[in-house]
């Protein structure tokens, strides 16, 4: 009897435990259905509306894989990531039924934007040059254009073609006094006046490629650039020697034309939130073939490249070519002083040290230091933000000094500049004017 | 049609668009007291069809939030957020609406058709004992209500901003310095005299290989809209908001409402 009682108790206990377990299972299932998000498995990830964009370019912004449990937060993140890209006007994401119940296909429905952007710029610079013996003036007319495809091969890579033409016209006048002593020890003062007119034309064509996501990486980037330069230069010198009878006037003409090719390859990595470091190699066929190697480091927190209203830019580059070294540092900062009104200020310093003798150089440069500070006031007008139409003008100044070959050629410069920029969804127009004064010491 | 007529018609169309746009975003708000609760009803919500049609049938969860605040002389006394998380079931073809109040799950509704769903979300009712407890006799308050679709949390905005900075920034243009006409006005332009246009300086002259000034198209994308709301206003950024509807109330007026 006792054994039966124990057995009955055990059986009852077992049933009770099963019953309790069953209840807890049901309770948890019930709770799951009511309060948890439904579990959906991703069967496929596809795209719609991508006529010129690779689907993989779109889906790489979504950090889930086939077979994963769908996470709506990841989809919300992906939608915002895609909502930052210039390749798309809009992106909608929806689910479709998968191969079985609770299996889904994630569909990215994109509305592609125009991937082409055109740029056209015109500029004029006037520079007045003054020294103890020479007065001069120089005008520079510039024209440039650029076409960029921001979605080259449908993968978010960039390809751009540019042209530019910069024409310089300058005039220099100098007068020097020389003293001659003849055999009778008579002193003769000879004044020599020299006037030169210089015309140069620098015409360039270039092709640039930029891969912001090298091999699909979020951090590494690659840029390549090929440029063809045609440079022509004409100089006419009129020399008039006074105090000689008759007055001796000579005219000398000098001209040269050169063609250069240069190629640049740059490999970089972004890090932190705004910083980068990169390595570059530049080769050219100017004179003998020359190759320079550079390392750059910097950051950029500007909120826009064309119309920045806040942020700073720091860049530094150290380069080496055949034993010559160059260092360039630049810093600029944008400070908002009102709604769409910005003051930018900054500085730039360049150091070059050369150990080689240069036969072709008009001026032999052993080392040089150039430093300047600049500031600019800008006013920006968002005309139609939805369509991406903006306009802005600026006025600024700069002042600095260059010292070449240990005071052999030293000058200070200052200038004011102004410009107007107009941007539409596919076009950028730029106009700029500058007046500069250069004083040679 | 003459020029003046054309201008007039264009002006009329523009005025209609502006009027329609403002009317489309307005909401009606009414309030009363019953059973020691403040009952607020928001209706006549003109949701944009372009968003509603696509998003609510996407199979993904979408949030419609009512943010209600009670203010006294511009001082916020209480704020309540009632959220409808709507998910369309692709197989059963029904809508599940999970209702939460201030992030606490309240109840779940299942709606069989799109029409039923629209009727449900077009009239949002919020009951609050806590809000009623804040109201005092003889005082006048401002009720402020706003409806939004898919509000975006600050953390998500920061996350995407960090992603932009680390994965999209620093677009380079290896030759922008040389070719940008603006660079004609840069300090370096006065350096270039015929004397230093030799072979070496062509390579070195102003070559900022890491030039970051590449301009890009700037039409307003989804994230730009969200970011602008985040930066320029104290509203919660969202895919869409109604206008803020305001009503002056006191306990007497609330009790007399039916």
């Amino acid at each position: 009897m006792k054994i039966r009682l124990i057995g009955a108790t055990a059986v009852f206990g077992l049933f009770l435990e099963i019953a309790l377990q069953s209840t807890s299972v049901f309770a948890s299932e019930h709770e799951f259905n009511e309060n948890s998000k439904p579990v959906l498995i991703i069967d496929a990830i596809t795209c719609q509306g991508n006529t010129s964009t690779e689907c993989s370019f779109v889906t790489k912004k979504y950090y889930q894989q086939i077979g994963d449990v769908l996470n709506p937060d990841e989809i919300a993140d992906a939608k915002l990531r895609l909502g930052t890209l210039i390749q798309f006007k809009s992106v909608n994401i929806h689910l479709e039924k998968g191969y079985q119940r609770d299996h889904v296909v994630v569909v990215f429905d994109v509305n592609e934007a125009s991937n082409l952007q055109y740029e056209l710029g015109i500029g004029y610079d006037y520079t007045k040059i003054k020294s103890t013996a020479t007065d001069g003036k120089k005008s520079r007319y510039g024209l440039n254009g650029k076409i960029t495809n921001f979605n080259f091969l449908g993968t978010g890579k960039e390809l751009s073609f540019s042209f530019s033409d910069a024409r310089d016209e300058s005039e220099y006048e100098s007068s020097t006094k020389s003293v001659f002593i003849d055999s009778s020890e008579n002193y003769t003062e000879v004044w020599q006046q020299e006037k030169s007119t210089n015309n140069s034309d620098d015409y360039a064509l270039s092709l640039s490629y930029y891969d912001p996501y090298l091999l699909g990486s979020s951090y590494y980037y690659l840029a390549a650039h090929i440029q063809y330069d045609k440079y022509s230069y004409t100089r006419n010198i009129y020399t008039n020697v006074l105090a000689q009878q008759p007055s001796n006037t000579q005219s000398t003409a000098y001209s040269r034309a050169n063609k250069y090719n240069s190629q640049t390859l740059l490999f970089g990595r972004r890090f932190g939130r705004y910083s980068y470091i990169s390595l570059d190699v530049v080769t050219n066929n100017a004179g003998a073939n020359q190759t320079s190697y550079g390392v750059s480091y910097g950051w950029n927190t500007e909120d826009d490249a064309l119309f920045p209203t806040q942020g700073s830019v720091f860049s530094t580059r150290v380069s080496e070519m055949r034993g010559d070294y160059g260092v360039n540092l630049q810093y600029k900062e944008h400070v908002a002083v009102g709604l769409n009104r910005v003051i930018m200020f900054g500085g730039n310093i360049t150091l070059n040290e050369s150990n080689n003798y240069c036969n072709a150089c008009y001026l032999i440069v052993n080392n040089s230091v150039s430093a300047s500070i600049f500031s600019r006031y800008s006013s920006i007008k968002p005309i139609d933000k939805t369509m991406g139409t903006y306009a802005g003008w600026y006025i600024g100044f700069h002042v600095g000094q260059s010292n070449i070959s240990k005071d052999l050629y030293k000058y200070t410069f200052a200038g004011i500049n102004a410009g107007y920029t107009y941007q539409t969804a596919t076009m950028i127009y730029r106009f700029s004017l500058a007046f500069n004064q250069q004083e040679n010491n | 049609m003459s020029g003046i007529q054309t201008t007039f018609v264009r002006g009329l169309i523009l005025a209609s668009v502006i009027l329609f746009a403002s009317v489309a975003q307005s909401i009606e708000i009414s309030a009363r007291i019953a059973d020691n609760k403040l009952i607020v009803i928001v209706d006549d919500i003109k949701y944009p069809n372009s968003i509603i049609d696509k998003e609510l049938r996407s199979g993904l969860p979408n949030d419609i939030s009512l943010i209600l605040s009670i203010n006294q002389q511009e001082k916020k006394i209480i704020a309540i957020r009632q959220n409808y998380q709507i998910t369309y079931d692709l197989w059963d073809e029904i809508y599940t609406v999970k209702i939460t109040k201030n992030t606490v799950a309240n109840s779940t509704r299942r709606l069989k058709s799109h029409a039923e769903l629209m009727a449900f979300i077009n009239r949002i009712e919020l009951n609050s004992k806590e809000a009623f407890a804040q109201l005092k006799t003889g005082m006048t308050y401002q009720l402020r209500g706003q409806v939004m679709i898919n509000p975006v949390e600050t953390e998500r905005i920061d996350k995407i901003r960090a992603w932009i900075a680390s994965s999209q920034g620093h677009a380079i243009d290896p030759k922008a310095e040389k070719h940008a006409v603006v660079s004609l006005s840069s300090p370096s332009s006065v350096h270039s005299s015929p004397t230093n246009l030799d072979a070496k300086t062509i390579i070195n002259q102003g070559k900022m290989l890491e030039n970051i000034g590449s301009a890009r198209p700037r039409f307003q994308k989804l994230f730009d809209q969200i970011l602008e709301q985040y930066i320029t206003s104290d509203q919660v950024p969202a895919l869409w908001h109604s206008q803020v509807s305001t009503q002056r109330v006191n306990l007497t007026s609330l009790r007399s409402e039916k």
Side-chain angles (χ1 to χ4, degrees):
Chain A
M1 185 66 189
K2 195 174 181 181
I3 293 168
R4 280 181 189 173
L5 189 64
I6 291 168
T9 309
V11 170
F12 178 73
L14 187 66
F15 272 109
L16 186 65
E17 193 175 331
I18 290 168
L20 281 172
Q21 278 179 354
S22 304
T23 309
S24 68
V25 167
F26 290 141
S28 66
E29 275 183 4
H30 179 72
E31 194 178 355
F32 176 81
N33 286 334
E34 283 300 315
N35 297 322
S36 300
K37 291 173 185 173
V39 173
L40 299 172
I41 307 297
I42 302 168
D43 272 355
I45 303 167
T46 63
C47 302
Q48 285 178 358
N50 56 320
T51 54
S52 60
T53 307
E54 288 286 323
C55 188
S56 60
F57 176 71
V58 178
T59 56
K60 273 179 185 168
K61 309 297 176 292
Y62 174 49
Y63 298 163
Q64 286 205 284
Q65 309 296 325
I66 292 168
D68 287 355
V69 174
L70 183 98
N71 182 348
D73 286 340
E74 285 292 344
I75 291 200
D77 287 350
K79 187 171 181 174
L80 287 181
R81 281 188 204 105
L82 290 162
T84 67
L85 301 179
I86 56 171
Q87 286 84 7
F88 308 112
K89 286 262 182 199
S90 65
V91 178
N92 287 298
I93 307 172
H94 68 268
L95 303 180
E96 289 179 0
K97 287 179 191 173
Y99 303 122
Q100 62 189 82
R101 191 180 174 103
D102 293 336
H103 283 233
V104 292
V105 177
V106 180
V107 182
F108 288 82
D109 187 0
V110 298
N111 178 12
E112 292 174 335
S114 168
N115 296 314
L116 293 177
Q117 180 181 261
Y118 305 88
E119 290 182 54
L120 186 66
I122 308 170
Y124 175 73
D125 272 22
Y126 179 83
T127 304
K128 199 172 175 185
I129 300 160
K130 198 173 171 59
S131 70
T132 49
T134 308
D135 284 333
K137 59 184 179 182
K138 183 172 80 175
S139 294
R140 170 175 278 200
Y141 307 89
L143 172 72
N144 72 351
K146 186 177 175 186
I147 304 169
T148 305
N149 183 347
F150 288 101
N151 198 8
F152 180 55
L153 301 175
T155 52
K157 297 168 179 31
E158 296 178 15
L159 187 74
S160 62
F161 172 75
S162 311
F163 73 90
S164 73
D165 189 17
R167 293 185 181 201
D168 285 357
E169 292 174 7
S170 59
E171 278 184 21
Y172 297 93
E173 279 186 12
S174 64
S175 58
T176 52
K177 184 175 76 171
S178 306
V179 178
F180 291 93
I181 306 169
D182 61 18
S183 54
S184 311
E185 294 192 348
N186 293 322
Y187 289 83
T188 308
E189 282 189 350
V190 176
W191 285 88
Q192 181 173 296
Q193 289 182 323
E194 186 178 285
K195 183 179 178 184
S196 68
T197 59
N198 309 277
N199 292 296
S200 70
D201 190 0
D202 186 4
Y203 179 73
L205 295 172
S206 62
L207 193 67
S208 298
Y209 170 79
Y210 172 49
D211 183 354
Y213 314 106
L214 184 62
L215 302 173
S217 164
S218 298
Y219 301 104
Y220 293 99
Y221 57 90
L222 181 82
H225 175 70
I226 302 169
Q227 183 164 314
Y228 168 78
D229 265 275
K230 186 179 175 186
Y231 176 72
S232 58
Y233 172 59
T234 308
R235 189 176 200 195
N236 290 299
I237 305 168
Y238 306 94
T239 311
N240 186 16
V241 182
L242 301 176
Q244 284 187 12
Q245 295 298 329
S247 175
N248 180 14
T249 304
Q250 295 175 345
S251 174
T252 311
Y254 170 72
S255 69
R256 65 175 164 138
N258 290 313
K259 293 174 184 172
Y260 306 103
N261 290 312
S262 68
Q263 298 84 37
T264 304
L265 189 67
L266 184 146
F267 169 73
R269 190 191 193 281
R270 294 175 281 262
F271 63 94
R273 289 188 71 163
Y274 304 101
S275 305
Y276 62 84
I277 188 160
S278 68
L279 303 170
D280 63 79
V281 181
V282 184
T283 62
N284 77 96
N285 69 343
N289 281 340
Q290 299 177 91
T291 304
S292 78
Y293 302 91
V295 181
S296 300
Y297 163 76
W299 73 74
N300 184 346
T301 63
E302 282 180 339
D303 55 349
D304 185 66
L306 203 58
F307 300 107
T309 60
Q310 60 179 358
S312 64
V313 177
F314 172 74
S315 66
T316 178
R317 179 171 182 258
V318 180
S319 61
E320 188 275 340
M321 182 170 70
R322 293 193 309 173
D324 299 350
Y325 295 94
V327 179
N328 177 271
L329 290 106
Q330 188 176 56
Y331 179 77
K332 61 181 176 179
E333 175 125 17
H334 305 275
V335 179
V337 290
L339 186 62
N340 296 317
R341 294 176 198 282
V342 185
I343 287 179
M344 179 272 283
F345 56 88
N348 182 58
I349 184 162
T350 304
L351 310 166
N352 281 304
E353 187 174 317
S354 174
N355 300 312
N356 296 314
Y357 182 77
C358 172
N359 265 331
C361 299
Y362 180 81
L363 185 72
I364 300 163
V365 177
N366 294 120
N367 54 55
S368 66
V369 181
S370 182
S372 63
I373 55 168
F374 46 85
S375 185
R376 172 184 285 190
Y377 171 79
S378 307
S379 175
I380 301 157
K381 186 180 179 189
I383 296 168
D384 185 342
K385 285 185 179 180
T386 312
M387 297 300 292
T389 311
Y390 288 78
W393 60 265
Y394 66 86
I395 184 162
F397 76 91
H398 59 266
V399 59
Q401 189 174 64
S402 280
N403 190 342
I404 298 170
S405 293
K406 291 180 181 170
D407 297 338
L408 180 69
Y409 184 50
K410 187 176 173 183
Y411 60 89
T412 55
F413 53 87
I416 55 169
N417 54 70
Y420 177 80
T421 306
Y422 186 84
Q423 180 181 26
T424 68
T426 56
M427 190 78 210
I428 297 170
Y429 302 93
R430 307 188 212 215
F431 307 93
S432 70
L433 288 170
F435 174 79
N436 307 302
Q437 175 112 17
Q438 181 175 316
E439 289 197 12
N440 300 339
N441 302 317
Chain B
M1 195 182 279
S2 71
I4 294 170
Q5 281 176 313
T6 310
T7 310
F8 176 74
V9 170
R10 281 180 184 165
L12 206 62
I13 292 167
L14 184 66
S16 308
V17 168
I18 293 166
L19 189 67
F20 175 76
S22 59
V23 169
Q25 291 190 349
S26 68
I27 54 172
E28 288 289 325
I29 186 165
S30 60
R32 64 190 162 87
I33 285 171
D35 301 331
N36 290 335
K37 287 179 188 170
L38 177 68
I39 299 169
V40 177
I41 294 168
V42 176
D43 56 10
D44 197 24
I45 310 162
K46 300 286 193 301
Y47 295 106
N49 289 334
S50 57
I51 294 177
I52 286 291
D53 291 346
K54 281 186 179 172
E55 300 292 333
L56 295 188
R57 289 189 185 154
S58 68
L60 293 160
N62 285 280
D63 293 301
I64 290 181
S65 291
L66 165 66
I67 294 184
L68 183 86
S69 67
I70 299 173
N71 300 272
Q72 189 182 26
Q73 294 170 344
E74 298 304 317
K75 188 185 170 189
K76 195 176 283 180
I77 296 171
I78 189 169
I80 303 161
R81 177 168 167 173
Q82 179 154 296
N83 192 69
Y84 291 172
Q85 189 179 75
I86 303 158
T87 309
Y88 180 64
D89 189 311
L90 298 170
W91 290 270
D92 296 339
E93 298 183 352
I94 59 164
Y95 295 90
T96 305
V97 183
K98 200 190 290 181
I99 304 163
T100 54
K101 201 191 306 179
N102 287 346
T103 71
V104 178
N106 222 2
S107 59
T108 301
R109 291 281 297 267
R110 288 191 172 81
L111 304 165
K112 288 178 183 171
S113 69
H114 191 71
E116 213 174 307
L117 174 75
M118 290 310 295
F120 182 71
I121 62 174
N122 271 323
R123 188 178 184 280
I124 300 176
E125 185 175 318
L126 185 154
N127 302 334
S128 175
K129 278 185 181 173
E130 296 81 7
F132 171 72
Q134 298 292 326
L135 303 177
K136 290 173 185 160
T137 309
M139 306 298 286
T140 303
Y141 302 93
Q142 272 191 328
L143 269 181
R144 285 183 190 166
Q146 187 179 33
V147 176
M148 54 189 72
I149 300 175
N150 288 345
V152 183
E153 299 94 355
T154 309
E155 292 77 18
R156 176 158 285 145
I157 294 171
D158 290 341
K159 188 176 171 182
I160 302 300
R161 288 175 93 178
W163 178 81
I164 293 168
S166 64
S167 68
Q168 274 184 263
H170 321 305
I172 54 165
D173 185 350
K175 42 151 261 309
E177 180 73 13
K178 187 168 173 63
H179 287 271
V181 164
V182 267
S183 73
L184 286 170
S185 307
S186 73
S188 62
S189 67
V190 293
H191 298 181
S192 47
S193 66
T195 57
N196 55 7
L197 269 170
D198 58 83
K200 280 185 183 176
T201 48
I202 278 191
I203 304 306
N204 292 325
Q205 184 187 46
K207 281 267 183 178
M208 297 287 290
L209 282 162
E210 206 66 36
N211 192 296
I212 303 160
S214 183
R216 284 149 184 277
R218 211 183 166 188
F219 59 87
Q220 200 167 41
K221 300 172 283 296
L222 172 68
F223 190 69
D224 299 329
Q225 293 164 24
I226 299 288
L227 197 60
E228 186 172 286
Q229 293 172 38
Y230 174 64
I231 291 169
T232 61
S233 76
D234 55 0
Q235 291 180 356
V236 177
L239 188 61
W240 175 85
H241 316 95
S242 71
Q243 286 181 343
V244 178
S245 188
T246 307
Q247 197 182 16
R248 287 171 75 83
V249 293
N250 56 45
L251 271 178
T252 313
S253 70
L254 289 169
R255 285 198 172 107
S256 63
E257 285 286 334
K258 298 289 179 188

